Amino acid sequence: MSDALRQRLFEQLDAIVLIDPHTHINALQPASATPADILGYHYYTELAHSAGMPKEQIEEPGLDPKEKCERLFANLAPLQNTIQYSWLLEIAREFFGFDGDRISADNWESLYDTAAEAMAADDWAGQVLEKSKLQAVFLTNDFDDPLEGFDTAVYIPCLRTDDLVFQLAHPEIRARLERAAGTSIGDSRSLRTALGKRFEHFKAKNAKACAISLPPDFAPTKISPGRADTAIKEVCASGPEASLSGRQAVANFVFWTLAEFCTEFHLPFDLMIGVNRRVYEAGVFQGQDLYDSRVSLIQYRELFNTFAQVTFPTSVLASVTNQELTSYAWIFPNVVPHGHWWYSNTPAYIERDLAARLEAVPQTKQIGYYSDMYKLEFGLPKFRMYKRVLAKVLAEQFVVDRLWSEERALALGKCVLRENVDRVFGLGTGYAVEDLLFA
Amino acid sequence: MSDALRQRLFEQLDAIVLIDPHTHINALQPASATPADILGYHYYTELAHSAGMPKEQIEEPGLDPKEKCERLFANLAPLQNTIQYSWLLEIAREFFGFDGDRISADNWESLYDTAAEAMAADDWAGQVLEKSKLQAVFLTNDFDDPLEGFDTAVYIPCLRTDDLVFQLAHPEIRARLERAAGTSIGDSRSLRTALGKRFEHFKAKNAKACAISLPPDFAPTKISPGRADTAIKEVCASGPEASLSGRQAVANFVFWTLAEFCTEFHLPFDLMIGVNRRVYEAGVFQGQDLYDSRVSLIQYRELFNTFAQVTFPTSVLASVTNQELTSYAWIFPNVVPHGHWWYSNTPAYIERDLAARLEAVPQTKQIGYYSDMYKLEFGLPKFRMYKRVLAKVLAEQFVVDRLWSEERALALGKCVLRENVDRVFGLGTGYAVEDLLFA
Amino acid sequence: MSDALRQRLFEQLDAIVLIDPHTHINALQPASATPADILGYHYYTELAHSAGMPKEQIEEPGLDPKEKCERLFANLAPLQNTIQYSWLLEIAREFFGFDGDRISADNWESLYDTAAEAMAADDWAGQVLEKSKLQAVFLTNDFDDPLEGFDTAVYIPCLRTDDLVFQLAHPEIRARLERAAGTSIGDSRSLRTALGKRFEHFKAKNAKACAISLPPDFAPTKISPGRADTAIKEVCASGPEASLSGRQAVANFVFWTLAEFCTEFHLPFDLMIGVNRRVYEAGVFQGQDLYDSRVSLIQYRELFNTFAQVTFPTSVLASVTNQELTSYAWIFPNVVPHGHWWYSNTPAYIERDLAARLEAVPQTKQIGYYSDMYKLEFGLPKFRMYKRVLAKVLAEQFVVDRLWSEERALALGKCVLRENVDRVFGLGTGYAVEDLLFA
């Protein structure tokens, strides 16, 4: 009974047209140009490397895409158990008609050729979006992105602010900001002006969110204008050699100022909490970051209290932080659990984290999932992975344990999968936080 | 098979007459006077507020109970997924004959009127206790509670000590203690005397436990008499303006002294570990507290070693601490896992925390559940939520996985639900820790 | 369906001949001499003590084995729910023909006599190994163990290094090292020479691993030769009275030097992370240690980066650390999740930790299980406990959720249960990390 129920729920969830609220898609090249863009996703390169494949074989300069794929396919057998390998299989099956259980020496080349041909089609990105039932995807744009040359209703801009907060000591970052804002930076006032210009630009280009990823030891706090001035001057003068306390004061000043602009421009501020960068320094590209799970949302107490008008869609890197996220969202109106991030984006962690959220956070203020993808082909398998888990939790926890009707369980699923994306980011035909679903 | 098994186990567990070992019931007004006492439970006000309802609408001074309920019912749709909403439905169904799936604009008023009428009955509290199969409930009494005007065999006193440990710098707290104890306080000796008087009073009134909730950074330690004297004098002289170290020394001195009196008066000392108060300062009444999950029972090492004769029924606020609680209870004779507290009191967390305890802590020293309720009506749905999870874990983990008979699984359930409450708190016909269940 | 599937998978997993990659077996007395060796396992003594049995009754000097068993059996009823009690029952059934559900006053003596008779057989250890399908077991040898008098192909040496790293300030430890190495120790150079001698000895005796257990606050780092010399001289002069920083510098120097020798001698270095020793000081023998779950693998960042050629089979004491272990193993080639240790070695924690590893760590670099046993009889029930959980996870997560064939799920089980032990520790007929299972 329960297996059939899960399957029915999954199929209905899978029919919903979605908006993906967080990706790393390049709007000017959204889909894969060759299969090497699929296999080059860091999940495959880092897992193959972890299983023994030398980095040099993967990242050889000038490597031909087909040769790169041949090398990687020859090293994927140790990964066949991983959920990431299942994404690859689902892409091969759904987009390219593959029908095996494993991609091997015998079949990789025909798969490669079929995929390469499909990818060469003019409207390949459009085909992928349609097959994936994706109406739109959020981007992750550099602060100086001109945001031109694409349809911002389909590729929705999002202002990524990591560099502004954590890298402003680097002269090239400041130079880029000065160029993009058309102003010079020397103190807190001029820095604020420059940041405001970028909000104006992004807002004019249909941006629907501001976003940042944060290390586990970050604890945002308000900096006095005087301290900010001193610190900005020091950082402008000394660059990365500036004192740690000076760089931290600048980071806090910029972060706080971004939150102020989110209030003014009515933008949600996506927080992605917990990543340590470059922990494994000899790792492959994008396969070097890890984390320290000893982080607490208590570090964000002042922020959440101060910016009551800003919605914070919040992701946590370690599953252990999910209970705090659930509890903070349970009482703070402006804290919204947001998807399942990176190392917590595998079924075992999704299931337990989702189950906890669905039974304790108001249904109107939790966003089920985003793909975090770099290429459009991954939207389909990643969302399906989530929808399978969602169907399982709805079946077991609501239909079986709490005697809900299937229809009602499905409505809850639709709410977290789609409606809340519209509601939280202010999309579509005007959901508001006050709307009641089933009143 | 397993669903039917769970149902059979649940029904048998649900037939057991219980004693609720931790509540916030006011013995002089134990049940709800109007439905606003039900809907005013912080779970509904904080979740409605989190979902967008302004605090001012909820806490308007002088608000009529029916008007308050109308406003809240109009804002509960976003909460229909939560387990707390299911408690409300179960109360409506079991006590007031409601038979819908949701309480809406169409039916709330008749539900209100039916409930208000029932609550007006003279013996309403008695009816609730009987229907809930609750033989007695523990209270949470202020240290200066006279403990008069009620039957202490049904409403069992428990000395709550948060104010004594953490608020003694406030002159009004000291004044209340001096009045209640009939002594004056100026140093460690006189403070100890005053505390001892309250233990005598509580013990004479059938108190069966001492209890305290503790912030995540508390790490109890013994304070020398000299240091205690200095600190108490400072705190008496300077009040809340006393130095942090002075206030901490007083907190540690009082806490340690309470543990000494628990030894002398043979009282278990309930520890509720991990709460940060007033994190969301603009939140509704009782909807402001959260936590930092980075806490360890290693902070209680000295306490558990020193007070080998005191039983510590221990609750943890964050589920991540449950494994430590399980492990400490596994080797420390005086550590007893105690229920599922607050933010960990939802089925997903109960299931995983309970499963871990049932397979590794001796069955005679774990207390399954307490309701933590403020009004008697919540005992029934909260205990049933627990019993459903208990039935699931017993079915899957013991009957299916370990091939136990249903009878034996049921005996284990009864042990943690009822027998251990009697045993640990010294109630009933004289269970002792040495009693063997199935010898 | 799923129950039958689990059973089929379990039976096939249970047919595999195993090598146990971590035990505390004494190769000169590997099996129990009397049933008191079974009941004297700390799990029974510590749980019986936790449930109320005085330590003095358990550890009375000169206590006759049968009397000790009589006393303990009389105190095991409170433990009948624990998974550890189920190990005892499985030993009684499988090795001694017992066929009850509980061992009680009525049947313990005949069980004792039957077991004692069986244990008296000349080849009892061989019988146990055969019945348990154990081809070989790893030992945990003191650094000065002569490693003589046993077959090192069956009892595989492993160099345990806790004393070298953390106890070198004790004169008797240094004296033992000097004796074993045939050198004297006074500075970093002579200490390194002595350690190298022990690696030569162990390697010559077929040692396949170096191992250590580590407290939660340990964060290994490289010490400069000058600092090491100063610290070693201080520690040699002052012993345990040496400064904390001096003792820590020595610990770090020795630890780092061990990792260097692991590179040179091609030995995996087992890390067992997270234990606090002697937390419950009045506890029974081996029943005094606990932990602080606030530990992170970020503490091992420098180690994992520096020693890219050393494989680190890594165990974590608290289940909350399992996600970090999974993530670090997912990108670091030299980090290998290793079994389920001690307080995390119960089915509820194994299930969630295993599920997370199986879906995200390459199948070729995770070691399913080790028994950690002191006497051979425990291999059978402990491995079976694991295999039951493994069968459940393979059935639910791979066959049901991911539509794998049973055959393929079984191959994955075999890989983590057996093949990876051979591969990681360089046993058998030459698996290498590069081998692909299903290419």
Side-chain angles (χ1 to χ4, degrees), chain A residues 140-147 158-185 190-191 193-199 201-202 236:
Chain A
T140 294
N141 304 92
D142 283 342
F143 62 84
D144 56 350
D145 191 318
L147 305 175
C158 165
L159 172 57
R160 181 65 172 252
T161 57
D162 298 48
D163 286 344
L164 296 172
V165 172
F166 296 110
Q167 307 297 338
L168 210 65
H170 292 279
E172 66 275 19
I173 300 291
R174 285 200 311 283
R176 280 172 49 199
L177 178 56
E178 291 179 327
R179 256 195 320 272
T183 62
S184 70
I185 299 169
S190 55
L191 178 51
T193 299
L195 295 172
K197 296 269 188 196
R198 297 323 291 159
F199 272 81
H201 169 70
F202 270 76
C236 288

Side-chain angles (χ1 to χ4, degrees), chain B residues 299 301 305 323-324 327-333 352 356 358-359 361-363 365 401-402 408 436 438, chain C residues 6 46 50 74 77-78 80-83 102 278-281 291 293-294 319 343-344 346-349 352:
Chain B
Q299 300 165 215
R301 172 185 189 153
N305 276 294
Q323 192 184 11
E324 283 197 21
S327 303
Y328 280 65
W330 159 344
I331 74 167
F332 270 106
R352 64 187 86 164
L358 282 182
E359 70 190 17
V361 177
Q363 59 193 351
K365 54 177 300 227
D401 290 355
R402 290 169 61 181
R408 196 173 165 196
L436 303 184
F438 315 107
Chain C
R6 281 169 60 178
E46 74 201 8
S50 175
Q80 286 166 349
N81 59 306
T82 65
I83 198 68
R102 300 160 202 178
R278 295 183 56 75
V279 172
Y280 174 38
E281 295 184 7
Y291 57 95
S293 56
R294 296 169 301 184
S319 175
Y343 291 111
S344 290
T346 67
Y349 289 112
R352 63 186 85 162

Side-chain angles (χ1 to χ4, degrees), chain B residues 228-283:
Chain B
D229 277 334
T230 310
I232 293 164
K233 283 170 190 162
E234 185 202 343
V235 154
C236 289
S238 307
E241 308 303 313
S243 67
L244 178 63
S245 72
R247 285 177 287 129
Q248 286 176 335
V250 171
N252 271 299
F253 172 76
V254 174
F255 185 84
W256 211 259
T257 305
L258 294 174
E260 290 169 347
F261 280 122
C262 284
T263 312
E264 184 179 332
F265 286 89
H266 302 289
L267 283 180
F269 196 172
D270 294 349
L271 307 179
M272 310 187 76
I273 295 173
V275 64
N276 283 131
R277 300 291 178 184
R278 295 181 57 74
V279 171
Y280 173 38
E281 294 183 9

Side-chain angles (χ1 to χ4, degrees), chain A residues 120-320:
Chain A
D122 266 358
D123 65 338
W124 176 242
Q127 288 181 44
V128 173
L129 284 174
E130 186 176 348
K131 188 166 184 68
S132 307
K133 301 201 187 72
L134 281 171
Q135 172 185 328
V137 303
F138 279 53
L139 308 175
T140 294
N141 304 92
D142 283 342
F143 62 84
D144 56 350
D145 191 318
L147 305 175
E148 285 173 359
F150 58 88
D151 179 354
T152 62
V154 176
Y155 298 103
I156 301 171
C158 165
L159 172 57
R160 181 65 172 252
T161 57
D162 298 48
D163 286 344
L164 296 172
V165 172
F166 296 110
Q167 307 297 338
L168 210 65
H170 292 279
E172 66 275 19
I173 300 291
R174 285 200 311 283
R176 280 172 49 199
L177 178 56
E178 291 179 327
R179 256 195 320 272
T183 62
S184 70
I185 299 169
D187 56 14
S188 65
R189 185 167 181 158
S190 55
L191 178 51
R192 174 185 298 275
T193 299
L195 295 172
K197 296 269 188 196
R198 297 323 291 159
F199 272 81
E200 284 172 20
H201 169 70
F202 270 76
K203 190 74 181 182
K205 296 286 190 180
N206 196 40
K208 295 296 183 187
C210 181
I212 189 167
S213 73
L214 300 153
D217 63 354
F218 189 66
T221 190
K222 185 175 170 60
I223 299 293
S224 75
R227 173 70 186 115
D229 277 334
T230 312
I232 293 163
K233 284 170 190 161
E234 184 201 344
V235 155
C236 288
S238 306
E241 307 304 312
S243 67
L244 179 62
S245 72
R247 284 177 287 130
Q248 286 176 336
V250 171
N252 271 298
F253 172 75
V254 174
F255 185 84
W256 210 259
T257 304
L258 295 174
E260 290 169 348
F261 280 122
C262 284
T263 311
E264 184 179 331
F265 286 88
H266 302 289
L267 283 180
F269 197 173
D270 295 348
L271 307 179
M272 310 187 76
I273 296 173
V275 62
N276 283 131
R277 300 290 177 186
R278 295 181 58 75
V279 171
Y280 173 38
E281 296 182 7
V284 297
F285 176 63
Q286 294 182 332
Q288 304 176 5
D289 304 336
L290 280 158
Y291 57 95
D292 179 337
S293 57
R294 296 169 301 183
V295 61
S296 173
L297 295 189
I298 200 78
Q299 300 166 215
Y300 292 82
R301 171 186 190 153
E302 187 184 350
L303 180 79
F304 294 152
N305 277 293
T306 302
F307 295 97
Q309 300 312 313
V310 176
T311 300
F312 294 98
T314 303
S315 300
V316 291
L317 191 47
S319 175
V320 64

